[in-house]
Amino acid sequence: MFFFLIASVFAESIVETVNNHPGATWVAVEYPPEVITTAKLRARLGAIDLNEGPSNYVPDTSLPDNFDAREQWPGKILPVRNQEQCGSCWAFAVAETTGNRLNILGCGRGDMSPQDLVSCDKVDHGCNGGSPLFSWEWVKHSGITTEECIPYVSGGGRVPSCPKKCTNGSAIVRTKAKSVGLVKGDKMQNELYSRGPFEAAFSVYEDFKSYKSGVYHHITGKMLGGHAVMVVGWGVEDGTPYWLIQNSWGTTWGEQGFFKILRGKNECGIETTCFQGTFAC
Ligand SMILES: *[C@@H]1O[C@H](CO)[C@@H](O)[C@H](O)[C@H]1NC(C)=O
């Protein structure tokens, strides 16, 4: 008991380790359990089949030093959502990317439906995860409908079967991607600049849960799983290059639901598993 007490007094928490780290470019915070816990984090990490290997990211010096899709396309980037306790990040990343790209093209249908993918995409695994490659292929061949037609209901981890009609009884109308594919490293900035946000998947370590602000890089804790998100910008903060990313954990986590991650070092694999779809009105 005595040794246990000594150990717990002197063992640094993840938050202390990060905030005392001399090279840290980000700030950690202890979130209340309603925002996130380690158990909740594990339940949300549903990106599978992440690419391995080095980044082939090449900075595009012809583009501005800072870019934020929300400023480039005012009012077109849909708000931060919350996947809650379901490993549906893969479905949110695809739905959000699709919704924003349709908005940018001028034929937006509001939020698109992650539930459509969670319940209907038979090559992926609902709340147990999905593959960025397969889920984009699904949107190319089968399409995705609107949030209004099939609203998100899997936040508690339960996955209803694929509905035959929209909740109001009308026929389901799905939008298909014209083409889908990997965003290569030398095209990352240009893809975002010319067509809008795209999906990225990366490895999540324990310390990511406590991210509050700044440019994230892994400092402490073990790898817990893969997470899919949406890249919305890039920039340089206090000399550190970053990707600006929209998460799907609500607005009380991170920088109002967004985070920045180190750019150019393939931090946590963020520059190897990037996917996009193209659409037409
Ligand atoms: C039912 O929902 C669909 C899809 O959201 C919508 O297009 C349609 O207008 C709605 N119909 C009625 C009668 O509200």
Side-chain angles (χ1 to χ4, degrees):
M1 187 61 178
F2 177 73
F3 290 107
F4 173 76
L5 282 174
I6 295 285
S8 42
V9 167
F10 288 102
E12 276 194 327
S13 69
I14 283 182
V15 171
E16 287 167 332
T17 304
V18 170
N19 292 343
N20 293 333
H21 190 276
T25 54
W26 59 284
V27 174
V29 72
E30 202 66 65
Y31 283 107
E34 59 271 23
V35 176
I36 198 158
T37 60
T38 301
K40 285 183 175 179
L41 174 65
R42 284 179 192 277
R44 293 174 190 183
L45 302 179
I48 58 174
D49 296 343
L50 270 58
N51 289 344
E52 301 281 333
S55 164
N56 56 3
Y57 168 62
V58 181
D60 189 335
T61 50
S62 70
L63 296 177
D65 291 341
N66 291 277
F67 180 82
D68 183 337
R70 296 168 296 179
E71 290 163 12
Q72 182 77 3
W73 298 289
K76 304 281 190 187
I77 304 303
L78 295 157
V80 171
R81 301 192 60 185
N82 196 339
Q83 66 186 91
E84 300 172 67
Q85 271 43 268
C86 167
S88 52
C89 56
W90 61 276
F92 276 83
V94 171
E96 291 172 1
T97 298
T98 302
N100 288 325
R101 287 184 161 212
L102 292 173
N103 267 353
I104 289 167
L105 287 171
C107 49
R109 304 177 65 196
D111 276 326
M112 300 305 279
S113 170
Q115 192 66 51
D116 189 9
L117 297 178
V118 167
S119 288
C120 304
D121 170 352
K122 298 297 175 238
V123 294
D124 289 294
H125 313 286
C127 285
N128 294 322
S131 144
L133 172 64
F134 291 172
S135 49
W136 277 111
E137 289 288 341
W138 183 267
V139 171
K140 184 177 168 191
H141 295 292
S142 304
I144 180 171
T145 191
T146 60
E147 178 70 14
E148 192 190 9
C149 173
I150 308 181
Y152 187 59
V153 293
S154 286
R158 199 185 62 85
V159 178
S161 60
C162 183
K164 299 268 187 297
K165 292 188 175 328
C166 297
T167 46
N168 70 4
S170 70
I172 299 172
V173 178
R174 291 188 168 93
T175 301
K176 292 180 183 176
K178 261 178 19 182
S179 68
V180 297
L182 194 69
V183 180
K184 298 219 176 75
D186 59 341
K187 296 285 188 308
M188 286 177 74
Q189 283 169 285
N190 196 261
E191 180 65 40
L192 177 50
Y193 190 78
S194 53
R195 278 195 277 257
F198 60 80
E199 172 177 2
F202 67 109
S203 298
V204 169
Y205 292 81
E206 271 175 304
D207 58 355
F208 183 72
K209 168 181 74 124
S210 308
Y211 171 88
K212 182 57 197 157
S213 61
V215 180
Y216 175 81
H217 54 102
H218 170 53
I219 292 174
T220 184
K222 59 180 184 296
M223 211 276 272
L224 298 179
H227 187 42
V229 288
M230 185 176 64
V231 181
V232 298
W234 69 77
V236 180
E237 185 173 273
D238 300 329
T240 305
Y242 65 82
W243 296 109
L244 176 64
I245 296 184
Q246 184 168 334
N247 202 355
S248 50
W249 295 350
T251 53
T252 51
W253 180 89
E255 297 187 341
Q256 286 83 49
F258 293 78
F259 66 97
K260 301 184 190 101
I261 188 168
L262 184 61
R263 173 167 57 99
K265 299 273 198 262
N266 198 25
E267 184 65 31
C268 302
I270 195 73
E271 287 152 7
T272 52
T273 308
C274 301
F275 280 89
Q276 53 84 30
T278 64
F279 297 88
C281 284

